[in-house]
Amino acid sequence: MITFPYCGAPPLPGALAGRFNLDPVLLVALALSAGVHLVVLRRSRRPVTAAACGWAVTAAALVSPLCALSVSLFSARVAQHMILLLVAAPLVASALPRARGALAAAAAFTLAVWVWHLPAPYAASFASDALYWAMHLTLFGSALWLWATLLHARAEQAGRALLAGAAASIGMGLLGAVLALAPTPLFAPHLLTTAAWGMTPLADQQLGGLLMWVPGLFLFLAVGLRAVAALVRPAGRAQRA
């Protein structure tokens, strides 16, 4: 009996456009999560635009043909994860209450990113739907926690936020560099699926490593500059006084 990963069989280029993920459980879970969050925001008279955009990006990453493409290409799976962690999560987290434990959140985020992009756990997520969703929930959940600490840090917490953002950025960037510079392909699920897309498994892995290495550095750098500004601002006020 042939079994396929959660997102289905590896797609061919000509068939990708129609490969949407219409899993009813996923659609209901997304609708409930987004709906509850937006209703709470409206009732508390808080802006809903960022959260709505965040949930839309989350749905796009999980429902669009990117889900199917991630079965064929490691770089597509990394792109899906980067969209969730670096675009959707900060948008959603910007409309969440301030969270505590920036350093613990950074550690959880880094651990999740490393564990699920190591060869054995990564391959296991292709063999089990439960592990596939454990991967996405721990990645997205840890990203929400981290961004909720970084984006809502108070002035007195700016130093800790800067350290947490730097640690998360370095941890993810280091993994991306390791994957981009590895001399051999490491991910068994893609050894036979990249040729249809004009790539070798190693080139696909290198692209995935670059997608993990570069964007995260820039986004966390922006958060770091924001934290530095928060640290400098009280000193400037004190000097003027």
Side-chain angles (χ1 to χ4, degrees):
M1 180 179 178
I2 299 176
T3 58
F4 294 113
Y6 171 77
C7 292
L12 295 175
L16 181 63
R19 289 287 301 274
F20 286 86
N21 177 18
L22 301 180
D23 178 3
V25 176
L26 170 63
L27 297 178
V28 170
L30 285 171
L32 286 176
S33 299
V36 169
H37 190 193
L38 296 179
V39 166
V40 169
L41 291 175
R42 283 193 176 277
R43 288 182 175 177
S44 60
R45 299 181 183 276
R46 296 174 60 191
V48 301
T49 302
C53 289
W55 285 113
V57 172
T58 302
L62 297 174
V63 174
S64 74
L66 185 58
C67 178
L69 186 59
S70 71
V71 180
S72 290
L73 299 177
F74 174 75
S75 55
R77 176 64 62 87
V78 172
Q80 182 188 45
H81 290 169
M82 294 303 100
I83 290 170
L84 289 170
L85 303 185
L86 302 180
V87 182
L91 285 170
V92 173
S94 69
L96 291 176
R98 179 174 60 89
R100 296 183 177 180
L103 296 178
F109 175 85
T110 303
L111 179 63
V113 169
W114 271 82
V115 166
W116 291 115
H117 294 94
L118 292 176
Y122 183 87
S125 72
F126 278 71
S128 166
D129 289 357
L131 287 178
Y132 176 88
W133 283 114
M135 172 180 64
H136 279 89
L137 289 173
T138 52
L139 285 170
F140 193 56
S142 63
L144 287 176
W145 180 17
L146 177 61
W147 286 111
T149 66
L150 298 181
L151 296 176
H152 302 302
R154 295 173 177 170
E156 65 271 18
Q157 301 168 324
R160 187 167 295 183
L162 177 61
L163 181 59
S169 179
I170 292 170
M172 188 166 67
L174 178 60
L175 176 59
V178 168
L179 296 177
L181 300 176
T184 58
L186 302 173
F187 298 96
H190 302 298
L191 293 179
L192 301 177
T193 61
T194 64
W197 297 90
M199 304 177 71
T200 65
L202 183 58
D204 174 42
Q205 178 179 298
Q206 291 169 338
L207 177 58
L210 288 173
L211 290 174
M212 188 181 296
W213 188 357
V214 178
L217 291 177
F218 283 107
L219 192 54
F220 282 111
L221 175 62
V223 175
L225 292 174
R226 181 173 177 267
V228 170
L231 283 170
V232 172
R233 196 176 299 121
R237 290 173 182 168
Q239 290 178 354
R240 287 193 299 271

